[in-house]
Amino acid sequence: QGSGELKQATTVSMESGATIDASATKNGDGGTVVLWSDVGNTNGYTQMDGEILATGAGSGMGGKVETSGHVLGVTGTVNAGKGGEWLLDPIDMTITSDGTYSVDSSGGTASPTTNGITVLNTSINTALDNGNNVTLTTSGGTGGSGSITVAADITKSSGASSSLTLQADGAILVNAGITITDTSSNNALSLNLQATGPIHFADNASATHSVNIHGDLYLGGKNGGATYATGNSTYRDGIYIGNSSLDRKSVV
């Protein structure tokens, strides 16, 4: 994961159809899987289009999965099991319904030319439905501002309770008309938005809920409040909700 003197790959590619399985087999926690390219290198690129499994067995809990790179593309799926974690660690990130970086159906590897990372919202939804906790974290290092933009809906519709955490060195921006929801208390989603910059919900129509979940809701500074969510020259307020609705329902 970039520590020590071990040389780091510039490009890491996991193609569609490939599987990495670090799941427990009889009893115990799931293992750890890391796909890592040099996040400090502007040419560093990780593309994950396969399947990663790290589920627990018996009384065991899920494992840990990390996909990281200066530029990161994700169209594959992750199942880290109940209580497991999936960490994505790029420079800048946009969650969208049509990933910019993906391997063509005929094979090969995409070669991104910008520092904007695009992650498919459906891959996040799948992990949440599998009962996985998902953490998306950015660092405003070389070539990026550390922002996270939510430009596609996040919907948890099944599976055990899980959480989505967005940790940004810059701003967290939830676009107009975008919703973050779960469908019932049986598959409750908890949402944690932690930013050094502003947390900004664009104005929505009065009938649109930006957030409608049964789990916990946290808005504040990065690293659980060690810093503050503060405004910038573009977004004055540290936390701006505007004509939006955040609805955190009681868990039954």
Side-chain angles (χ1 to χ4, degrees), residues 132-150:
N132 299 336
N133 299 319
V134 176
T135 298
L136 313 180
T137 181
T138 62
S139 174
T142 302
S145 62
S147 65
I148 298 175
T149 301
V150 184

Side-chain angles (χ1 to χ4, degrees), residues 101-137:
Y101 304 113
S102 62
V103 174
D104 188 84
S105 59
S106 61
T109 303
S111 300
T113 58
T114 69
N115 289 315
I117 292 91
T118 305
V119 177
L120 276 174
N121 66 324
T122 52
S123 65
I124 297 172
N125 294 341
T126 298
L128 295 174
D129 285 346
N130 285 331
N132 299 336
N133 299 319
V134 176
T135 298
L136 313 180
T137 181

Side-chain angles (χ1 to χ4, degrees), residues 1-9 12 31-40 46 63-69 85-89 137:
Q1 294 178 298
S3 61
E5 298 181 356
L6 187 67
K7 290 185 177 181
Q8 301 178 46
V12 173
T32 299
V33 176
V34 179
L35 267 61
W36 175 283
S37 61
D38 189 351
V39 296
T46 297
K64 295 182 179 181
V65 175
E66 178 173 356
T67 50
S68 295
E85 295 182 359
W86 177 22
L87 173 67
L88 300 92
D89 190 10
T137 181

Side-chain angles (χ1 to χ4, degrees), residues 206-225:
S206 58
T208 302
H209 295 289
S210 293
V211 176
N212 188 4
I213 59 176
H214 291 77
D216 296 331
L217 175 63
Y218 172 88
L219 308 178
K222 191 178 179 184
N223 298 323

